[in-house]
Amino acid sequence: NAGVTQTPKFQVLKTGQSMTLQCAQDMNHNSMYWYRQDPGMGLRLIYYSASEGTTDKGEVPNGYNVSRLNKREFSLRLESAAPSQTSVYFCASSENRQETQYFGPGTRLLVL
Amino acid sequence: DAKTTQPTSMDCAEGRAANLPCNHSTISGNEYVYWYRQIHSQGPQYIIHGLKNNETNEMASLIITEDRKSSTLILPHATLRDTAVYYCIVRVASGSARQLTFGSGTQLTVLP
């Protein structure tokens, strides 16, 4: 039981490049989330998926898109990366929308 | 979600109990108290949560005052691996709440 896994662990992009961050959970959770964490700051919600087939915007969705591929997987895409998107990205899942959230190890992204 | 106040930092000797306080004087009747921690560079880790009664699990104990305006997280025998930022979060467990709002937390340093 791996919990929540994220790939890649680290990534360096040039401004304007695109990439997809992958997240998978093996806990049969319905809800999944993408957060970003900037130095010295708390986590901010980018997008979430309350259940398979649904996605909703969080606090800071601009510049991102998401796909809930199936119940296990929830990906985050940066179509045209900007330096302001340099951050650590965490994926989380919960049994339902209001339940305890379990986090992955994070993806560290640097946009030059 | 109600606002929480925590000390910025605390030290604790290895093997001793670590008691981390949290004030949440504006908590509503349907709001739970959650505790998470974040060890440097890792994803946040769920510790414990409660509504009114004291709670205990394999990681910690949560003591909530009778008026629910404050709580204390207790790590009974702190180890060096417990050095982390500890976040007290108050949120509803039903309804539309979906984002975990992490404040600045308490940096706990366990000293050898």
Side-chain angles (χ1 to χ4, degrees):
Chain A
N1 190 340
V4 179
T5 57
Q6 294 183 235
T7 56
K9 288 186 170 60
F10 303 96
Q11 185 71 48
V12 179
L13 292 178
K14 294 180 180 178
T15 297
Q17 287 185 315
S18 63
M19 79 160 295
T20 300
L21 283 66
Q22 306 288 351
C23 174
Q25 52 90 10
D26 62 2
M27 296 176 282
N28 202 35
H29 285 169
N30 289 311
S31 302
M32 298 185 73
Y33 313 81
W34 276 105
Y35 291 86
R36 60 177 288 174
Q37 184 174 35
D38 300 310
M41 295 182 66
L43 278 73
R44 291 183 292 170
L45 185 67
I46 305 171
Y47 270 94
Y48 72 101
S49 170
S51 60
E52 186 178 355
T54 69
T55 60
D56 284 287
K57 295 179 180 179
E59 183 184 352
V60 289
N62 292 343
Y64 305 95
N65 286 303
V66 290
S67 295
R68 184 72 183 269
L69 304 170
N70 48 54
K71 191 170 186 180
R72 288 188 65 248
E73 299 171 289
F74 188 37
S75 62
L76 178 71
R77 182 160 179 83
L78 287 70
E79 291 290 353
S80 179
S84 61
Q85 293 178 305
T86 292
S87 190
V88 182
Y89 292 85
F90 291 105
C91 177
S93 71
S94 63
E95 188 166 348
N96 291 299
R97 194 168 57 181
Q98 295 83 26
E99 299 290 329
T100 301
Q101 294 183 21
Y102 296 89
F103 288 79
T107 293
R108 283 148 188 80
L109 176 66
L110 173 63
V111 183
L112 302 174
Chain B
D1 296 338
K3 180 180 169 57
T4 61
T5 304
Q6 300 177 251
T8 303
S9 64
M10 294 181 65
D11 292 339
C12 175
E14 188 177 19
R16 305 297 290 271
N19 297 284
L20 292 90
C22 179
N23 287 323
H24 31 79
S25 58
T26 61
I27 192 169
S28 300
N30 63 344
E31 289 181 313
Y32 284 70
V33 180
Y34 282 79
W35 283 84
Y36 282 77
R37 72 180 182 183
Q38 188 170 22
I39 297 170
H40 182 62
S41 300
Q42 297 183 21
Q45 178 187 23
Y46 164 78
I47 302 173
I48 199 167
H49 74 283
L51 182 63
K52 295 182 187 178
N53 301 320
N54 299 337
E55 301 287 345
T56 296
N57 64 19
E58 64 278 5
M59 287 183 68
S61 295
L62 173 61
I63 309 298
I64 302 174
T65 58
E66 193 168 340
D67 64 7
R68 304 206 325 119
K69 292 185 177 182
S70 66
S71 60
T72 301
L73 177 75
I74 301 172
L75 307 178
H77 305 287
T79 70
L80 298 178
R81 288 176 292 182
D82 292 322
T83 292
V85 179
Y86 287 77
Y87 297 98
C88 169
I89 299 165
V90 173
R91 69 192 295 259
V92 296
S94 61
S96 61
R98 49 190 179 262
Q99 174 171 325
L100 286 176
T101 302
F102 287 74
S104 53
T106 297
Q107 171 66 59
L108 174 69
T109 302
V110 180
L111 303 171

